Amino acid sequence: MESMSRRVSQVFLAACAAGCALGDWLTVPRRIPAAGGLMEAVEAADGAASNGYPFHIAQPLRYQQVFAATEFETLPSPARIDQILFRADMAQSTQRPFSSTLANVRIELSTTPAKPDGLDKRFDRNFGTARQVVYSGPLTLSSRMTLISAEEGPMAPDIMVPLQKPFLYDPKAGNLLMEVRIYAGAPTVEMDALNDEGDGVSRLVAVGPDAVEGHPDTLGLVTRFHFTVTMPGPAVSRVTGPAAHPDRQVGFPIAGLNQKDTFLFRYGRTNFTEEEQIDTGLGPQYNGRSCAQCHNVPQLGGFGRVKVMHAARPGQKADTLVPLFSIPLHLCEAPVDRQAHTTSYRISIPLFGDGLIDAIPDAAIAAGADPEDKDKDGIRGRAARVRDLETGAMRVGRFGWKAQHASLVAFVGDAYRNEMGITNRLFPDELNVGVADDKFKACDTMPDPEDRKNPENGLFGLENLTNFLKFLGPVPRLGVTEDARAGEKLFTAIGCARCHTPVLGTAAGGHPALSGKPVALYSNLLLHDVGTGDGIAQGDAHGQEFRTAPLWGLRLRRPLMHDGRSGTVEHAIGQHGGEAAGVTKRYRALPAEERRQLLAFLDTL
């Protein structure tokens, strides 16, 4: 008899020939009132109110919120909503990271004839014809409680509800209704909200999950939706028309994938968004419940604005990560080593184009090294030499802030274990930071390795996640203006390109979509000391070295630098010293017009 996984695969491949689904984000409401009667993008400003309902009030309740369909007018319709995120109110910004499990929650999405500020006080009258339960059961909500940049708010939208069943929403069918029933809750934090008539959101609240009537008012949570929309089939990797702007193509697979590859990309993307639970191996110590929690800006696979912590004793080069969270009953929470001589906070790295980086030959990277500065330009890049856990061979590192991994699968396996606690074939043992072995063993109830095969395609999570990143395309570059062309010449003339090498190339003979390709990543992937080191030795890198950060996709990344210290490109340039001191000095000596041109060039990447 034909297996279920084979039938599912064939159905997906058949559908994918006509079109596959890829994701985008939308925060509602899109704009909020600002000073002087102006409107401001919600991603850049905190709402004027906070809302303890439905998740912070630790009592059974029923909650509805309506979102105006006009807020979704940029959405190609219909689209499937598969994640919902919220953000803490700015007044909570001094609080520590939290993780709370609500024992029994039921969430529905529906179209609704009700308008914002016009919900019927009877809950059932607000549902439309399209209605679906999207989540039911225990729900763990968490947040690192960080600002979206090092210097300003609002709070990062990282309080995630991964839907068990996506909801197909068509704005043409009416406004969107979200209902949350809390049967057994737990305190979380006050969340960011708006409380004005005409702002596109409002709510209805009652005590008791089965209440018939509630109390309507104008308050509504600022809510971020992740949705998937239909994209062209595998023979076409980019869209045309109004959606063809490069910023609308981020998150697409690389060109040239066949049906099987697109199938693998899709399954990997699903794994990327899945939220791990204790019974799937989460923890005991962890930083996030899914890959998407830390890699979601501007699309899945991007960077993140949240930070992880490293701490090290003198001479320590391994296991410097200090996980932020632990599973209940929180008996194995990671302490910060009192003997640590340095601590560091790092934001997550964007993953776009990682399959191309993986395909660059070691020799191509090593060829750019000059550790003894033989050309006397002050720049001493060196290749990180690390053991590839996939093959056991010594290779040139290229992944991670410190180039501590040489292969994509090892990089993924490291994050799977260290960030979520999912042990796998490359990292079969749990990361235990600062907890006695017998105590830690009592917290770790799942047998290792915890990575399991997906019954639909027969691949482990490690392989599915690696396939998603292998086939995830780089950020397309914007069109080049005359100013940008002039700026690119200046970029080379003052020495930026000595480290931020514009193009490397992949090896011939590999996967057809990755073989013999130019990789315009603007990095030599070497280790350098440019005066921004965090004191943490890792892999082959000493404490003051970092891998040259690739600049492709730079225009879509803020904040910048390993710790998010820079809110602008110009500030980030000013942070460069050490080997880059001469380059920084030459940049500062440029006339204002030429500095503007150089920045215009960087804004095309």
Side-chain angles (χ1 to χ4, degrees):
M1 180 178 292
E2 184 181 42
S3 69
M4 175 62 75
S5 63
R6 180 175 175 82
R7 291 200 301 274
V8 170
S9 300
Q10 289 178 337
V11 169
F12 178 81
L13 288 175
C16 198
C20 301
L22 288 172
D24 206 348
W25 294 97
L26 185 69
T27 303
V28 179
R30 289 176 293 158
R31 304 185 72 79
I32 60 178
L38 302 176
M39 299 297 288
E40 191 168 8
V42 71
E43 285 87 354
D46 189 62
S50 64
N51 188 357
Y53 294 102
F55 300 112
H56 183 51
I57 306 300
Q59 63 178 351
L61 58 85
R62 189 173 185 181
Y63 176 96
Q64 287 185 345
Q65 181 165 326
V66 60
F67 304 87
T70 53
E71 293 289 337
F72 299 87
E73 62 187 8
T74 62
L75 174 68
S77 61
R80 295 184 185 276
I81 298 172
D82 55 19
Q83 292 178 62
I84 302 175
L85 292 90
F86 307 98
R87 65 192 190 191
D89 183 64
M90 277 284 288
Q92 313 289 311
S93 62
T94 58
Q95 289 198 17
R96 296 179 61 188
F98 81 88
S99 179
S100 296
T101 298
L102 289 69
N104 192 356
V105 178
R106 176 187 170 99
I107 302 175
E108 291 186 66
L109 292 178
S110 172
T111 54
T112 178
K115 298 178 181 180
D117 309 320
L119 283 168
D120 194 294
K121 67 178 182 178
R122 292 183 64 88
F123 285 96
D124 288 346
R125 291 179 180 173
N126 293 318
F127 288 106
T129 54
R131 177 180 178 182
Q132 180 176 310
V133 177
V134 295
Y135 193 97
S136 181
L139 174 64
T140 299
L141 298 178
S142 62
S143 173
R144 290 178 173 81
M145 302 298 291
T146 57
L147 301 176
I148 63 167
S149 77
E151 300 173 354
E152 59 186 358
M155 302 293 285
D158 63 350
I159 305 174
M160 178 188 292
V161 179
L163 304 190
Q164 296 164 338
K165 294 183 179 179
F167 177 71
L168 185 65
Y169 175 54
D170 186 349
K172 297 176 183 177
N175 297 325
L176 179 66
L177 184 76
M178 175 182 69
E179 177 172 280
V180 180
R181 297 193 193 202
I182 307 291
Y183 293 91
T188 56
V189 290
E190 293 270 344
M191 297 184 189
D192 193 25
L194 295 177
N195 193 20
D196 298 301
E197 290 188 5
D199 58 22
V201 292
S202 69
R203 70 178 183 179
L204 179 68
V205 184
V207 175
D210 299 315
V212 175
E213 295 186 352
H215 304 282
D217 60 33
T218 59
L219 203 64
L221 292 168
V222 174
T223 308
R224 194 176 196 213
F225 296 95
H226 184 267
F227 54 85
T228 54
V229 297
T230 299
M231 61 161 283
V236 181
S237 66
R238 294 291 181 263
V239 296
T240 58
H245 187 280
D247 288 357
R248 298 292 298 169
Q249 299 179 46
V250 179
F252 278 66
I254 56 175
L257 298 187
N258 58 28
Q259 290 182 341
K260 178 183 177 182
D261 296 332
T262 307
F263 163 75
L264 294 174
F265 176 86
R266 172 63 178 173
Y267 263 112
R269 184 184 175 280
T270 299
N271 259 96
F272 199 83
T273 62
E274 285 179 350
E275 185 172 282
E276 301 293 346
Q277 307 294 333
I278 295 175
D279 61 4
T280 62
L282 179 71
Q285 300 170 344
Y286 66 97
N287 278 322
R289 301 177 68 93
S290 75
C291 303
Q293 277 191 299
C294 294
H295 295 279
N296 58 29
V297 184
Q299 294 284 2
L300 289 180
F303 74 102
R305 296 186 175 108
V306 294
K307 298 177 181 179
V308 299
M309 181 180 184
H310 287 257
R313 299 182 181 190
Q316 183 179 352
K317 297 191 70 173
D319 297 337
T320 61
L321 185 69
V322 182
L324 292 173
F325 303 121
S326 61
I327 61 174
L329 300 165
H330 307 293
L331 300 177
C332 291
E333 183 175 359
V336 177
D337 189 344
R338 292 183 178 180
Q339 297 183 45
H341 74 295
T342 186
T343 58
S344 172
Y345 292 89
R346 299 179 189 168
I347 59 177
S348 49
I349 293 175
L351 308 174
F352 302 120
D354 270 3
L356 291 165
I357 294 176
D358 196 37
I360 297 171
D362 287 11
I365 302 172
D370 183 18
E372 298 177 3
D373 193 20
K374 292 181 178 180
D375 61 5
K376 306 301 180 184
D377 65 354
I379 297 174
R380 298 173 173 269
R382 68 183 187 92
R385 302 289 178 175
V386 298
R387 188 169 301 281
D388 179 14
L389 296 181
E390 175 73 356
T391 64
M394 292 299 294
R395 294 191 51 207
V396 175
R398 65 198 66 196
F399 292 108
W401 280 109
K402 299 274 185 172
Q404 65 267 27
H405 288 294
S407 67
L408 182 57
V409 67
F411 179 56
V412 173
D414 177 294
Y416 211 14
R417 193 277 303 267
N418 288 349
E419 309 297 346
M420 290 182 282
I422 307 298
T423 52
N424 53 78
R425 64 179 177 84
L426 296 184
F427 292 84
D429 300 317
E430 295 282 2
L431 175 67
N432 176 3
V433 178
V435 178
D437 289 343
D438 56 343
K439 184 178 179 180
F440 193 85
K441 187 175 181 180
C443 294
D444 185 21
T445 59
M446 299 299 295
D448 297 317
E450 296 151 334
D451 187 15
R452 296 289 183 265
K453 284 186 178 180
N454 184 321
E456 293 187 355
N457 70 356
L459 297 179
F460 285 91
L462 176 60
E463 279 64 48
N464 278 321
L465 292 169
T466 302
N467 283 331
F468 170 58
L469 299 184
K470 176 180 179 179
F471 296 132
L472 182 63
V475 174
R477 187 173 172 182
L478 294 181
V480 179
T481 63
E482 289 301 320
D483 275 347
R485 288 191 183 91
E488 187 165 13
K489 293 178 181 178
L490 291 166
F491 181 84
T492 299
I494 67 173
C496 302
R498 292 286 291 112
C499 298
H500 293 283
T501 305
V503 180
L504 295 175
T506 66
H511 188 285
L514 301 168
S515 174
K517 304 293 184 183
V519 187
L521 74 168
Y522 285 86
S523 170
N524 58 14
L525 300 174
L526 299 174
L527 296 173
H528 292 274
D529 177 358
V530 295
T532 60
D534 61 359
I536 302 290
Q538 195 172 4
D540 190 32
H542 65 62
Q544 300 309 310
E545 291 178 314
F546 276 113
R547 178 197 70 159
T548 302
L551 297 184
W552 57 5
L554 177 65
R555 70 180 184 276
L556 301 177
R557 296 207 310 266
R558 298 294 185 277
L560 303 171
M561 310 303 290
H562 71 276
D563 53 2
R565 71 180 68 173
S566 296
T568 66
V569 172
E570 197 155 23
H571 184 272
I573 294 172
Q575 297 300 296
H576 287 61
E579 295 176 38
V583 178
T584 304
K585 182 178 180 180
R586 288 190 287 274
Y587 169 78
R588 288 172 173 156
L590 291 175
E593 175 64 9
E594 291 187 348
R595 289 199 303 271
R596 185 189 65 79
Q597 290 173 333
L598 195 152
L599 294 174
F601 156 66
L602 293 174
D603 202 39
T604 68
L605 300 182

